[in-house]
Amino acid sequence: MEGQSNKGAAPERGKHKANHLPPPPGMGPTLEGYRVPKGEAFGAAGVLAGLCVVYGCVRGWIEDGNPFVWVSVWYLWLIIAIAFAYPLLFIRGKTTTCGSDWLMYNGKVWVNTYELNEIKVTKYAGGYHITLKDTSGRGMMLNLRTLQELPYLWNYVYLGIMHSVVYGGATANNEAIKRLQLPARIS
């Protein structure tokens, strides 16, 4: 219906898709994918640069009574440029893709989700990371929230994780058991 808000709804399937990317060698087709849109990278860059400018103004106002005293200091402009460039270099264009039994990050690192032998969830300042290692020695670490925000992609990954724990004997740390609601270890 027109005029109704879509707030809180799951993201559209296919939005920012990256499923045109090839699967890992010998694996099934790419079913779901996500590429960080350029707008998100530029938004993050603008926020970081803006915070640097605000910090400079507040500090100048407190120390000298002039919020723009920092403008003539060349190295502060360098810091602002680095703050703007960082998200553009490290966020833009990153992709996460998956098939029915695999997960790949940035077209290079991938794991077979049905042959995992280790699942770890670790806390960091901004949330949680998930580390997945498979029986072939491949491993990856991703932001857990990024995976869980993409419901179709997360469904494939979670089913593989659950299969690996229940039928494959994969080990999971306590945080993974708690956060992912995995079955507890039986000793």
Side-chain angles (χ1 to χ4, degrees), residues 37-153:
K38 290 179 183 176
E40 283 185 26
F42 277 105
V47 167
L48 280 177
L51 287 173
C52 288
V53 169
V54 168
Y55 173 77
C57 289
V58 169
R59 186 167 177 183
W61 184 51
I62 290 171
E63 290 180 359
D64 290 345
N66 179 2
F68 300 107
V69 71
W70 65 271
V71 174
S72 62
V73 182
W74 69 270
Y75 62 86
L76 293 178
W77 285 104
L78 180 64
I79 292 171
I80 292 171
I82 291 170
F84 187 79
Y86 180 80
L88 298 179
L89 295 173
F90 294 104
I91 296 176
R92 195 181 104 208
K94 300 294 184 195
T95 58
T96 306
T97 54
C98 77
S100 61
D101 58 354
W102 56 269
L103 173 67
M104 184 164 48
Y105 179 70
N106 221 22
K108 297 173 187 161
V109 181
W110 69 280
V111 293
N112 185 327
T113 56
Y114 278 77
E115 294 180 4
L116 297 173
N117 59 7
E118 185 179 345
I119 299 123
K120 277 187 189 176
V121 172
T122 51
K123 190 171 176 81
Y124 73 101
Y128 295 90
H129 278 135
I130 184 167
T131 303
L132 304 172
K133 293 181 181 174
D134 68 16
T135 56
S136 297
R138 293 181 295 262
M140 65 169 37
M141 181 171 34
L142 293 168
N143 182 313
L144 181 59
R145 191 180 79 199
T146 300
L147 289 177
Q148 290 179 330
E149 283 180 346
L150 308 166
Y152 298 104
L153 187 140

